Amino acid sequence: MLLKDKVVVVSGIGPGLGVKLAIEAAREGAKVVVVAARSADKLDDAEQRIRALGTHTAVLKQTCDITQREQCDALAAAAAREFGRIDALVNSAFVHGDMDYASTADLDSWRATLDTNLLGTLRLTQACIPHLPRGSAVVMINTMAARKIPPLGEAGYAASKAALANSVKWLAKELGPKGIRVNSVHMGWMWGAPVEGYVNWQAQESKVPVETLKAQIAADIPLGHIPTDDDCAKAALFMVSDYAAAVTGAALDANGGAYMP
């Protein structure tokens, strides 16, 4: 088990990757999964799904808006108070923002995206640092859009995530002497609730069958299929496991080969 006896914090619990990260952390033997989201109902759903696994993983639920420093501090303090430490921080919380282009975007609309994806993620990371012991790790959930320009119009989202990717290098350099690793995992298309909803909507709008649209997306992915959010979650959790003990400041692409640096 990759995360045996580890205390794992996962932010951004929701219907897609966030809850899968929490579930897979429990499946991989985490002692505790601390789940965080702005909505308490999402935390209740995550707890139920983790309990359904039949593991001995404890669950700590904490509502947290990462744009608010006091809520980030409260989350980190609750985890440390209950369990003494945080072994792994998985920063999954994000705001997508408008589907826009840099040449025409309302740049003021980027503020909320930046405040969550860049500054909020750094707020939560800073709050957790005092409770991260030597040998602990942080992983930032990032996006292929920060590395490969998509046709959909995600300029604000991509800009915020690209800034986060750069910040990872600074954190890795600064925290390395303390034995804390920091890495990124860049996700591409992931078959799960958000993408499934998007493809279903597109199918209705275009009158094209869902399977045809999925095949069109998969045609640009060397593995020949859209990776599931379960599999992408496993890639992210590998980066906070001891199997990645020699890896810091790195960016792992978990997108089926849709982007190759």
Side-chain angles (χ1 to χ4, degrees), residues 118 122 142 160-172 184 186:
L118 174 62
L122 292 177
N142 213 300
S160 69
K161 288 292 198 173
L164 180 62
N166 184 267
S167 297
V168 163
K169 298 176 183 178
W170 286 83
L171 287 167
S184 298
H186 291 254

Side-chain angles (χ1 to χ4, degrees), residues 18-254:
V19 73
K20 297 298 179 67
L21 287 161
I23 291 168
E24 293 303 325
R27 203 192 307 274
E28 289 296 338
K31 175 183 178 181
V32 182
V33 177
V34 182
V35 291
R38 287 177 291 184
S39 302
D41 60 324
K42 294 177 181 176
L43 302 182
D44 292 339
D45 174 67
E47 181 180 30
Q48 291 174 8
R49 295 170 73 172
I50 290 171
R51 298 286 183 225
L53 297 175
T55 69
H56 297 293
T57 301
V59 179
L60 175 64
K61 298 180 291 184
Q62 184 83 15
T63 55
C64 182
D65 178 347
I66 65 171
T67 67
Q68 304 301 312
R69 181 59 192 248
E70 65 276 11
Q71 293 188 33
C72 294
D73 289 340
L75 168 60
R81 183 173 59 251
E82 292 291 329
F83 307 107
R85 67 187 193 279
I86 297 169
D87 297 308
L89 170 60
V90 184
N91 281 302
S92 182
F94 76 101
V95 168
H96 190 281
D98 296 335
M99 301 294 286
D100 57 13
Y101 299 89
S103 58
T104 57
D106 173 6
L107 297 179
D108 287 335
S109 73
W110 287 20
R111 296 182 189 277
T113 309
L114 287 162
D115 196 24
T116 296
N117 299 351
L118 174 62
L119 302 180
T121 299
L122 292 177
R123 285 186 194 98
L124 182 56
T125 302
Q126 288 180 346
C128 290
I129 286 171
H131 311 294
L132 293 170
R134 181 168 292 275
S136 60
V138 178
V139 66
M140 312 298 195
I141 303 302
N142 213 300
T143 173
M144 186 171 70
R147 294 160 74 78
K148 176 182 179 181
I149 305 301
L152 300 176
E154 297 179 286
Y157 175 61
S160 69
K161 288 292 198 173
L164 180 62
N166 184 267
S167 297
V168 163
K169 298 176 183 178
W170 286 83
L171 287 167
K173 182 75 171 180
E174 294 163 14
L175 299 179
K178 298 180 179 180
I180 302 169
R181 300 182 297 104
V182 188
N183 293 292
S184 298
V185 178
H186 291 254
M187 310 301 185
W189 289 99
M190 289 185 294
W191 191 252
V195 169
E196 186 175 358
Y198 168 76
V199 172
N200 286 335
W201 169 82
Q202 191 178 49
Q204 291 179 346
E205 292 291 311
S206 64
K207 310 302 181 187
V208 175
V210 167
E211 291 305 315
T212 300
L213 294 174
K214 288 178 66 177
Q216 290 172 355
I217 296 169
D220 291 328
I221 301 174
L223 285 182
H225 67 273
I226 302 173
T228 65
D229 51 11
D230 304 80
D231 284 341
C232 291
K234 293 172 185 176
L237 294 177
F238 167 77
M239 295 299 273
V240 294
S241 78
D242 293 342
Y243 282 95
V247 183
T248 195
L252 175 66
D253 294 288

